[in-house]
Amino acid sequence: MGKCDVMDAWSALQWAVRDQKADWAFAANDDWRMLAPGGSVTAAMMRIGELNTRVDGGGRVQGSELDPDAERIWMAVLMLMAEWDAGELHHDIGAGLSIHMQRSMMRLSRMARINPVRDAVSYARVGNMPGWYRSRDGWPRRDVEESRLHYVLVWDVLHLLYTRLAASTSMGIVIEMPTIPRLPWQGRKKDIDDCA
């Protein structure tokens, strides 16, 4: 998948981790905020700008040459990871769902040690959203509900990624809402059969 002028959040995340390998560029560094080694040249220059310093030409900054948009997408993912770990995303996850479903999602994420931000990256790397079960296929009700809650957790992370990136004025591409449905099992029968 190549870079387009307009991408939905799901395609943009896939492009950043599959094509640009932005996560690997930062993985060489224990702390993603460090300038070098690891990270990328764009991140190093952005960090220098944050510190209100100047480049003196004293040497080459090491790192991968990433597309600046892939860099910003990955930095937004890292910010979401930090917010999830700090417990700051719980009020954003499950918005618009019943209180019972929101509580079940949070309980599932705690008990199963699910990190939906990491899961979104993992699923983007392979190119598929998490699967969800149908009760008519013989799955127990609890497994069906948990698989659907996990799907919504990952979709909500994509929506949060969209809101973070859409607010950015420095992106070279336009980020749109995820085009995949949030609750595909509530769609028409043909749509459900295609998604399952």
Side-chain angles (χ1 to χ4, degrees), residues 4 13 20 22 28 39 42 53 74 83 91 101 108 139 150 171 186 192:
C4 303
L13 181 59
Q20 293 291 304
T42 307
T53 60
W74 186 247
E83 289 176 40
H91 61 280
M101 284 188 73
L108 174 66
W139 291 97
H150 187 227
M171 292 288 292
Q186 291 183 351
I192 292 173

Side-chain angles (χ1 to χ4, degrees), residues 10-189:
W10 176 235
S11 299
L13 181 59
Q14 289 181 72
W15 171 72
V17 298
R18 291 172 73 182
D19 295 350
Q20 293 291 304
K21 298 185 180 18
D23 52 338
W24 291 359
F26 283 95
N29 208 337
D30 291 337
D31 183 359
W32 67 272
R33 288 162 283 175
M34 296 293 288
L35 297 179
S40 70
V41 173
T42 307
M45 298 311 291
M46 291 173 74
R47 183 71 176 140
I48 288 169
E50 288 173 7
L51 297 172
N52 291 324
T53 60
R54 63 184 178 82
V55 178
D56 65 358
R60 184 162 190 244
V61 178
Q62 299 294 319
S64 303
E65 299 272 347
L66 291 180
D67 186 286
D69 290 330
E71 188 100 25
R72 288 179 182 92
I73 291 167
W74 186 247
M75 284 195 221
V77 168
L78 292 174
M79 287 172 40
L80 287 173
M81 281 186 193
E83 289 176 40
W84 176 263
D85 291 341
E88 297 170 3
L89 293 181
H90 296 296
H91 61 280
D92 294 323
I93 300 287
L97 299 176
S98 69
I99 295 297
H100 171 72
M101 284 188 73
Q102 290 177 11
R103 288 181 183 153
S104 296
M105 289 171 77
M106 290 306 109
R107 188 170 40 253
L108 174 66
S109 66
R110 279 193 307 271
M111 291 175 60
R113 301 213 190 311
I114 291 174
N115 182 324
V117 181
R118 283 196 181 95
D119 289 351
V121 171
S122 296
Y123 287 113
R125 191 173 289 120
V126 295
N128 295 318
M129 282 292 285
W132 47 272
Y133 303 139
R134 296 178 291 190
S135 54
R136 71 174 186 188
D137 291 338
W139 291 97
R141 182 177 177 202
R142 181 181 181 134
D143 291 344
V144 170
E145 289 177 4
E146 286 181 355
S147 70
R148 291 178 177 182
L149 291 174
H150 187 227
Y151 179 97
V152 174
L153 278 167
V154 172
W155 194 96
D156 284 356
V157 165
L158 292 176
H159 182 262
L160 290 172
L161 181 63
Y162 156 74
T163 58
R164 300 301 197 281
L165 294 174
S168 173
T169 58
S170 59
M171 292 288 292
I173 58 176
V174 176
I175 301 293
E176 295 181 336
M177 283 280 291
T179 56
I180 51 179
R182 183 181 189 205
L183 305 171
W185 47 88
Q186 291 183 351
R188 297 184 331 229
K189 183 181 181 327

